[in-house]
Amino acid sequence: MCGIVAYIGTEKAGPILFDTLKRLEYRGYDSAGIAVSSNGSMEVLKAAGRISDLEIVYRSMGEPGGSMGIGHTRWATHGRPSDENAHPHTSGSIAVVHNGIIENYLELREQLRDRGYVFASETDSEVLAHLINYYYNGETNGELAASVSRALKDVRGSYAIVVMASGIPYLVCARKDSPLVIGIGGSSNYIASDVPALLPYTRDVIRLRDGEIAVVHRDKIEIMDISGAVREPAVERITWDADAAERGGYPHFMLKEIHEQPRAVQETLAGRISEMEGDVRLDLGLNQWEIQTLQRVSILACGTSYHAGLLARYFFPRTAGLPVDVEVASEFQHMQLRPGTLLVAISQSGETADTLMALKKAKTCGVKSLAITNVVGSSITEIVDATIYTRCGPEIGVAATKTFVGQLVALFLLGIRLGRARNHLLPEQGRRLLGELSRLPGLIQAVLERRDQIREIAQRFSGADIYFFIGRDILYPIALEGALKMKEIAYIPAEGYPAGELKHGPLALITEGTPVVAFATCGEKIYSNMKEVRARGGEVIAFAGEGDREAAEITDTVVELPHTLPVFSAVLCTVGAQLLAYYTAQILGRDIDKPRNLAKSVTVE
């Protein structure tokens, strides 16, 4: 995941590039770079390290002029973080910034070397610069858009790119399986990986579709597919403002977004539940007969979204009488996608490359498909038959928090809708579920008010070498999610397990003082597992229901959660785990909103 920005207009490009890059720094920050074009020449500046380091050098050079430029902030995939591997990559008069992975870059690299091109980096992205330059100086005779189009026909993989050439008064951008949006600003236009980078400048955006190329002038935009067929740009008005993408007084985006979860759940539920009828209003892209004859649900997702899918594996059989398969999208091979299967793809951004590729492959089986996503108009929505939007607002923090909870709520709604449509749930059962679901925003707020206690627990165990998270039944996926958050944010090794599996090996790693987070809101069986941990000297941190005496007898570290139906307690346990990971990371001084930082240095070309 990397961040791309570009600008063309009437103002100096440099300050705008730095401002928009900083708004995308959560997408990666092991290196950054810009290229600015002015009076037929190009100035390239790049650095391993923070954007702020690069900006200092830019200012020391007198802020080179030019009203057109491109920028990039990198999270290394091919090649270590270094000056040479930072973007933009150049070849002759061509400069390129790229997000994605070029799968056949080794083959292309050898071909280009045979043609006399010399590589300065270890990255797959540099291949694009040389390949575009090859066609630019060859068969396309200096036509930049045609050169980009021709080069991309040789490429296998994913990409979002912006290309600039000395002496050419426009930018060319293209995308496949990686997001790219164009901001319209009157006499200026902007390009970025994510909308938040553009909000200080415009709220009118065009989302580039898969396989499209755009030629962006300062006063016009032309969009075409790779074959040259032109389409009229569809302009979307962004309704949330720049403040929604700022920290709003919180020290980190992650904490802000954790505290936004009551509102996020309200938005996900809004207009979708009828407690009187005990039913849910959702357009699933299925008629009544198709719903009643469903045989199973198959879910594709990655990371946190995969954990949300795992929860559906427990919920849907109970509410809808349907078995559920869940597969990590990057490992998608042989799901049982037969007639009568509903394929559900879950992706916060709607742009997760592995999920999109797996979904396209799965769709060849001819089954009905549904997406759960947070981003209107994202790529995933163009592939599926119907979409459930979580409507959580922009999520800036690297660690998914409010959007994960939004996914859980969307899956609860889907499970209830299928159950009612299939007559597996009676109206009174639906009313009970929806009545409790509508209480979730207030219950989440009650968990947030326990933050001081959770911060004290984080302080107590901040020196731990490893964490364990355990849960049974519907709380097992939450144990996996809790462990992921501790690893991702606090950089502490963490393992998530079904509580009953401790005795099959993991207990060997639990020694004196090892913290074990037990989600204990779904029945009494987990108590015996908590006792196993204590017998080996481990420290149990229990998230349990209010007044749970047995949990309090086993451990004195109990975070009491408000009562709700066991299935919905998964959301409350999630919020508790998020706070624990956040405060642990804060106490340890981690850079919470970004991946790990690496070495700094600066190169000027």
Side-chain angles (χ1 to χ4, degrees), residues 471-538:
R472 282 183 174 269
D473 196 76
I474 207 159
L475 295 178
Y476 163 51
I478 308 308
L480 293 175
E481 176 63 10
L484 176 62
K485 287 294 172 281
M486 190 63 73
K487 288 181 280 195
E488 186 178 21
I489 301 305
Y491 312 152
I492 295 177
E495 299 289 345
Y497 275 98
E501 287 295 293
L502 283 179
K503 59 183 173 290
H504 296 295
L507 276 173
L509 293 176
I510 295 175
T511 57
E512 194 71 30
T514 302
V516 178
V517 177
F519 298 123
T521 58
C522 278
E524 300 176 351
K525 283 188 175 182
I526 198 170
Y527 295 145
S528 63
N529 308 122
M530 293 162 62
K531 292 174 182 177
E532 289 174 334
V533 171
R534 291 301 302 271
R536 285 157 179 78

Side-chain angles (χ1 to χ4, degrees), residues 1-23:
M1 183 173 68
C2 302
I4 287 173
V5 299
Y7 170 77
I8 181 170
T10 56
E11 300 178 48
K12 185 183 286 188
I16 294 172
L17 294 175
F18 281 114
D19 181 52
T20 50
L21 276 178
K22 288 174 183 176
R23 298 173 190 278

